[in-house]
């Protein structure tokens, strides 16, 4: 393009997908996360998102403990912020990993 093109495939405001608006766009992501934090019943989803991003940034040696903490807090019935809306497939341990 004349302006050097747009990174990521030329998004020109035409992409209305959740990923584009609420994950890839910093202001959209911030606003959506604030919405989750303030909405009754959705705060756990916002907390899970923040913790998953922190998990992505942690060192490899810390990942086992971080994953166990995430499972206990968000994926286990009775956990501090159990996300009951997640499917069993979404909360299942990765293949080859024993449940805690």
């Amino acid at each position: 393009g004349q302006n050097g093109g747009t990174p990521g495939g030329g998004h020109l405001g035409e992409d209305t997908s959740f990923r584009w608006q609420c994950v890839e766009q910093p202001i959209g992501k911030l606003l959506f996360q604030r919405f989750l934090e303030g909405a009754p019943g959705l705060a756990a989803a916002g907390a899970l998102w923040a913790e998953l991003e922190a998990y992505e940034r942690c060192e490899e040696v810390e990942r086992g403990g971080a994953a166990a903490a995430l499972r206990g807090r968000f994926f286990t019935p009775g956990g501090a912020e159990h996300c009951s809306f997640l499917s069993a497939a979404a909360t299942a341990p990765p293949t080859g990993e024993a449940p805690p």
Side-chain angles (χ1 to χ4, degrees):
Q2 193 172 353
N3 296 329
T6 313
H11 294 286
L12 301 172
E14 300 298 322
D15 191 341
T16 58
S17 70
F18 170 82
R19 171 163 287 284
W20 174 246
Q21 292 186 340
C22 299
V23 178
E24 296 174 8
Q25 294 300 307
I27 190 67
K29 180 178 178 178
L30 176 67
L31 291 172
F32 186 68
Q33 288 176 333
R34 288 206 175 146
F35 163 75
L36 291 175
E37 290 165 7
L42 297 180
L48 174 58
W49 188 349
E51 291 298 320
L52 288 172
E53 288 191 331
Y55 175 83
E56 290 291 320
R57 292 188 300 269
C58 75
E59 297 293 328
E60 196 66 39
V61 295
E62 301 170 330
R63 290 207 167 173
L70 280 167
R71 275 196 293 272
R73 180 174 167 190
F74 297 105
F75 301 163
T76 305
E81 295 180 273
H82 180 229
C83 292
S84 58
F85 53 84
L86 294 171
S87 69
T91 60
T95 307
E97 183 180 326

